[in-house]
């Protein structure tokens, strides 16, 4: 099972770009990297997913280097409402399908 | 679709009582997951089903916990007897087959055992 490591917490100010990096040294060849966001009192919500290079959607960008041992979630111009916990997930290797969440990164956006 | 629906949203019960949490996945989703979230332990995967069949229940904490999925549109997580340390938010999630699709979570059930 690929293990992820990400910072426990980060602080930022409104309007800044925030980059959260996740390391997944033993990611399997066919694993994708997925990021979820969780607001207080809500279930996690899918943000973005990618395999390599760069993926962008209306919420965030995901940068994955060639070795795929890490990934960086980029949130442009954060606002107070982006305060949440952000989880990085590679799926488990093999045929079993699991969604296993680590500790995540608590992002606090300050005014 | 209304999304994943969990009931009840809040449950307060006395120690020793049986508690049943319910989940209705999104129609057409063939994977269903149960999670428990606490401040101390974070978001823990308890069990997941594929096509109504339990695939991995290694996260179920002990025999007091049981989960069933009698059909594609309904699942239950039961705790019998409940204990104060079971107090947590329990989430249900569903997703389609294939490994690289997003999972959708319900709003959760906040369980308090007194």
């Amino acid at each position: 099972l690929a293990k992820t490591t990400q910072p426990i917490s980060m602080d930022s100010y409104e309007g800044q770009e925030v980059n959260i990096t996740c390391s997944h040294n033993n990611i399997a060849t066919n694993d994708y990297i997925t990021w979820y966001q969780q607001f207080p009192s809500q279930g996690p919500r899918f943000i973005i997913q990618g395999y390599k290079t760069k993926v962008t959607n209306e919420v965030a960008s995901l940068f994955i280097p060639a070795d795929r041992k890490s990934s960086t979630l980029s949130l442009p111009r954060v606002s107070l409402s982006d305060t949440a916990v952000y989880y990085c997930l590679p799926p488990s290797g093999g045929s079993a399908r699991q969604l296993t969440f680590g500790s995540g990164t608590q992002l606090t956006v300050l005014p | 679709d209304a999304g994943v629906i969990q009931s009840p949203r809040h449950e307060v019960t006395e120690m020793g009582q049986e508690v049943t949490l319910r989940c209705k996945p999104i129609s057409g989703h063939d994977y269903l997951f149960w999670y428990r979230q606490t401040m101390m332990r974070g978001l823990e995967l308890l069990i997941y089903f594929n096509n109504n069949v339990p695939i991995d229940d290694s996260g179920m904490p002990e025999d007091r916990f049981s989960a069933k999925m009698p059909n594609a549109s309904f699942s239950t997580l039961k705790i019998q007897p409940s204990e104060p340390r079971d107090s947590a938010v329990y989430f249900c999630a569903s997703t389609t087959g294939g490994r690289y699709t997003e999972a959708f979570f319900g709003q959760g059930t906040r369980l308090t055992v007194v």
Side-chain angles (χ1 to χ4, degrees):
Chain A
L1 193 66
K3 179 179 169 61
T4 62
T5 303
Q6 51 184 123
I8 294 174
S9 64
M10 294 180 69
D11 289 344
S12 181
Y13 290 96
E14 281 190 292
Q16 291 188 331
E17 177 184 78
V18 171
N19 296 310
I20 306 174
T21 297
C22 174
S23 66
H24 24 78
N25 291 324
N26 59 338
I27 189 169
T29 301
N30 54 353
D31 276 345
Y32 276 60
I33 297 150
T34 311
W35 285 79
Y36 283 78
Q37 173 191 56
Q38 185 179 23
F39 297 114
S41 302
Q42 295 186 24
R45 181 178 73 112
F46 172 92
I47 302 177
I48 197 167
Q49 184 180 75
Y51 184 80
K52 61 180 178 180
T53 62
K54 178 183 174 181
V55 178
T56 297
N57 61 23
E58 65 279 4
V59 176
S61 295
L62 180 59
F63 299 91
I64 305 167
D67 66 8
R68 302 191 346 107
K69 293 186 176 181
S70 66
S71 60
T72 298
L73 176 73
S74 181
L75 305 172
R77 298 179 300 280
V78 294
S79 65
L80 297 176
S81 61
D82 292 315
T83 294
V85 178
Y86 293 83
Y87 298 95
C88 159
L89 279 76
S92 65
S95 58
R97 172 156 176 86
Q98 297 183 22
L99 287 172
T100 305
F101 290 75
S103 301
T105 298
Q106 170 66 59
L107 172 65
T108 302
V109 180
L110 305 168
Chain B
D1 200 311
V4 176
I5 300 173
Q6 292 186 244
S7 63
R9 290 294 309 277
H10 302 275
E11 175 81 33
V12 180
T13 190
E14 292 184 346
M15 181 174 63
Q17 296 296 306
E18 176 181 292
V19 176
T20 300
L21 311 181
R22 297 172 175 79
C23 175
K24 176 178 167 50
I26 292 173
S27 176
H29 284 188
D30 52 1
Y31 284 86
L32 184 138
F33 304 80
W34 281 100
Y35 294 87
R36 175 174 70 175
Q37 187 169 39
T38 61
M39 287 294 293
M40 290 296 294
R41 302 176 68 88
L43 192 59
E44 302 173 276
L45 175 63
L46 300 178
I47 184 171
Y48 78 97
F49 295 82
N50 178 215
N51 291 323
N52 312 336
V53 175
I55 301 301
D56 186 345
D57 65 354
S58 60
M60 296 286 262
E62 49 197 276
D63 291 346
R64 298 186 296 106
F65 286 69
S66 62
K68 294 183 180 179
M69 192 164 187
N71 57 62
S73 59
F74 184 65
S75 177
T76 60
L77 178 67
K78 184 178 294 187
I79 308 173
Q80 166 65 16
S82 59
E83 297 182 3
R85 61 193 168 117
D86 301 330
S87 297
V89 180
Y90 291 81
F91 289 104
C92 173
S94 71
T95 187
T96 59
R99 295 176 62 183
Y100 311 113
T101 57
E102 66 180 280
F104 294 83
F105 282 74
Q107 288 291 88
T109 295
R110 181 174 296 277
L111 173 65
T112 303
V113 183
V114 297

